[in-house]
Amino acid sequence: MTSPAPHESSAQRRRELVARRLRAAGISDARAKPDTAIPRRSDPRRAPLSFAQQHAWSYQQAHPDSVANNLCLVLTATGTLDLDALGTAFAAVVDRHEVLRTTYHADPEGEPYQYIHPTLPPPITRVDLGTLSAPARQQQVDALVEEAVTEPFDLAKEGPLRLRFLRHSRDSHTIVLLIQHIVWDGMTLAAISKDLRNAYELVLLGRTPDTTVVHPQYADYAEWEQRTWRERPSTAEDHAYWRQRLTPPAAPLALPYREGAPAVPSDQGAREDRRLTGTTPSQLRELARTWATTPFVVFLACYAEVLRDRAQATDISLGTLAVDRDHPGTDRLVGNFSNPVVLRFDLAGATDFADLVRRVQDGYEPGFVHRGYPFLPLANELAGHDGTGRVPFFDSLVVFVAQDIEGPDLPGVRTTWERADNGAAQFPLVPLGLEVFVREAGIDVQFTYSTDMFDRETVRTLLDDLDSALRRASGTRS
């Protein structure tokens, strides 16, 4: 999980590329341009949940002790960092973004709603590790991070953000940012980072940071989404597409599961990280240009090839996440604007890798066009899924980030960040979750897997297979 500008330009280029290909095929994409502005909600203190929030809330209600939706960023800060100013800056960010001072409840009829508090400061724990030796200090940092990431949120009683400031020395700190997935998507870090820098700079200058609550806020989006999605011109067409595409669904993949794997796994998981060596970012982009597609599609073709060969199946379904921040003002908001999308590929009779890419492109494009139909009501209608159990339609979820993601850029401080493993399966109860980060230095992957379903060696073998598939693909154009 970049700075906002590269992400936006990359997303725009991807939309334009797909739109051109769709027009050439005689298919329109009603979402090629941003929609109308989102109106203010009817109640300033209360709003319904968005579909993304509903999914996270339903799961947490059913599994209150779960930390599967805990997202923990560990920031390493080197330089002159004023922790008092940083705490004030984080409080200003919470004041500016209503979703960070929101709790979640159910009315007497059981309908969930979000309540926006006038103030709800994030809890900040401070620990001074300066007296410890370097090895003992790192051991303590690791313990404090694990403690933070494994404490579940009570969404009815607390805000979705917790902070820990760990001081190593005058010029060295670790910042632990724990946030609940109910308010997080791939663009949230960029939104927090920008506002945090602005607030921190003003505090250092002795000025009051800007806490203006800009319109729209996430609760405005949630109410608008719930009120209008059935009325949008594209909804009937989207529904017809998904009903046809997922009826009947693809058979579950016969992946190399553990012997005796439970029919109903827990959400316990682990993560395997690797920098791939089979191709470089520039080679992946060149492959995409060669086949007039996107790097994501080329990567998906390699991954689909691995799953096809391992599962001995040609009807492959994968999940991904589409982030809907096209509406004016949503690009600057903290919040979860993501929607799961099912990508289904027919690989029967694929003759070579170029043909494989075409098959994946043929499955990707219409799925992308119809990405606006909310997954939760669709999954409920077609598979009885209410957000609390194993996600239907796919066994693996792939998230592809096409550029570096930068953390907070604070004056006088050099920061790096990494995401801590929360010990749970990604997107709860999806057996395999693959996040791909295309950085200038290389292609990094984080493979999160259900420990009830897979052992680590199997996952490492799948990563070996993926690396080899990318190497072969690069060889076809070398």
Side-chain angles (χ1 to χ4, degrees):
M1 318 194 129
T2 167
S3 59
H7 182 100
E8 290 164 6
S9 61
S10 174
Q12 182 62 30
R13 287 194 300 272
R14 185 166 63 251
R15 287 193 294 269
E16 291 171 353
L17 173 61
V18 172
R20 286 199 302 271
R21 291 178 62 93
L22 293 170
R23 286 195 297 270
I27 304 171
S28 65
D29 180 5
R31 298 177 191 81
K33 296 180 180 179
D35 204 342
T36 55
I38 294 169
R40 296 182 187 276
R41 61 187 180 275
S42 56
D43 186 335
R45 289 285 170 256
R46 176 171 165 162
L49 274 58
S50 71
F51 287 113
Q53 287 176 315
Q54 281 185 13
H55 211 159
W57 181 82
S58 297
Y59 189 84
Q60 205 65 40
Q61 288 293 106
H63 309 276
D65 295 329
S66 174
V67 297
N69 280 316
N70 281 13
L71 191 140
C72 183
L73 300 184
V74 181
L75 286 78
T76 300
T78 305
T80 304
L81 181 63
D82 185 327
L83 292 183
D84 290 335
L86 185 64
T88 301
F90 267 114
V93 173
V94 172
D95 287 343
R96 188 170 171 82
H97 293 273
E98 292 176 344
V99 77
L100 293 177
R101 43 187 169 88
T102 292
T103 52
Y104 300 84
H105 312 271
D107 64 20
E109 288 72 41
E111 285 296 312
Y113 66 92
Q114 53 184 311
Y115 180 80
I116 300 91
H117 296 256
T119 60
L120 193 62
I124 300 176
T125 301
R126 300 191 185 208
V127 182
D128 192 335
L129 306 175
T131 61
L132 301 178
S133 66
R137 187 164 57 241
Q138 186 57 55
Q139 186 178 31
Q140 186 67 6
V141 168
D142 293 343
L144 289 169
V145 169
E146 182 176 4
E147 180 182 80
V149 78
T150 54
E151 182 182 353
F153 280 90
D154 186 337
L155 295 175
K157 295 181 178 179
E158 62 179 314
L161 174 66
R162 302 186 193 129
L163 299 162
R164 293 190 177 198
F165 296 169
L166 313 181
R167 181 184 181 276
H168 302 228
S169 66
R170 185 182 65 178
D171 297 326
S172 178
H173 298 82
T174 296
I175 309 302
V176 183
L177 186 155
L178 185 70
I179 195 164
Q180 227 277 352
H181 210 295
I182 200 167
V183 301
W184 180 276
D185 66 19
M187 284 291 287
T188 295
L189 180 57
I192 289 177
S193 297
K194 180 180 178 181
D195 283 357
L196 185 66
R197 176 188 173 88
N198 292 340
Y200 183 74
E201 286 182 325
L202 289 171
V203 175
L204 289 182
L205 294 172
R207 297 165 58 186
T208 302
D210 183 9
T211 57
T212 304
V213 178
V214 296
H215 174 77
Q217 285 286 302
Y218 188 85
D220 299 322
Y221 167 83
E223 181 174 280
W224 169 85
E225 181 191 51
Q226 290 291 338
R227 189 178 67 248
T228 66
W229 74 275
R230 291 184 184 278
E231 303 166 2
R232 297 174 205 166
S234 60
T235 296
E237 182 183 347
D238 290 342
H239 179 265
Y241 168 80
W242 289 116
R243 189 173 182 85
Q244 183 276 329
R245 189 65 171 161
L246 300 177
T247 306
L253 294 175
L255 294 171
Y257 293 123
R258 281 182 182 274
E259 185 176 352
V264 182
S266 71
D267 66 9
Q268 296 300 299
R271 201 177 80 196
E272 185 75 14
D273 296 357
R274 184 182 298 187
R275 172 157 290 175
L276 300 179
T277 60
T279 193
T280 65
S282 60
Q283 288 173 323
L284 187 63
R285 289 189 287 268
E286 180 59 31
L287 287 171
R289 285 191 291 269
T290 297
W291 285 304
T293 187
T294 67
F296 185 28
V297 167
V298 175
F299 186 92
L300 282 174
C302 291
Y303 189 44
E305 181 183 24
V306 170
L307 297 180
R308 177 196 65 182
D309 295 345
R310 281 287 168 181
Q312 293 296 294
T314 56
D315 186 359
I316 305 292
S317 283
L318 294 173
T320 191
L321 296 177
V323 177
D324 178 19
R325 287 178 176 262
D326 290 339
H327 309 282
T330 56
D331 59 324
R332 62 175 178 250
L333 293 181
V334 173
N336 188 348
F337 293 85
S338 62
N339 185 45
V341 176
V342 185
L343 303 175
R344 190 171 184 179
F345 311 127
D346 179 6
L347 307 185
T351 55
D352 53 23
F353 188 73
D355 191 19
L356 198 66
V357 171
R358 285 192 290 272
R359 303 293 187 91
V360 170
Q361 183 73 49
D362 288 345
Y364 170 81
E365 284 182 351
F368 184 83
V369 168
H370 297 287
R371 67 195 181 277
Y373 196 91
F375 178 81
L376 190 57
L378 180 74
N380 185 270
E381 175 191 346
L382 299 184
H385 178 63
D386 62 0
T388 65
R390 183 167 173 175
V391 176
F393 308 130
F394 52 83
D395 302 297
S396 186
L397 180 78
V398 185
V399 176
F400 190 88
V401 181
Q403 64 285 309
D404 286 334
I405 297 181
E406 298 174 0
D409 178 21
L410 303 176
V413 182
R414 185 176 66 86
T415 61
T416 60
W417 67 272
E418 61 181 9
R419 197 184 71 187
D421 181 9
N422 64 8
Q426 183 200 45
F427 199 74
L429 303 185
V430 176
L432 287 173
L434 183 61
E435 290 186 90
V436 187
F437 302 89
V438 182
R439 301 181 166 113
E440 284 305 311
I443 301 174
D444 294 329
V445 297
Q446 295 179 347
F447 216 151
T448 305
Y449 60 96
S450 165
T451 49
D452 286 349
M453 307 295 286
F454 295 95
D455 59 47
R456 187 174 292 274
E457 287 307 312
T458 298
V459 171
R460 288 174 175 171
T461 299
L462 290 173
L463 278 170
D464 290 341
D465 292 347
L466 177 59
D467 219 354
S468 297
L470 284 162
R471 185 174 292 108
R472 289 193 300 272
S474 295
T476 65
R477 296 289 102 186
S478 61

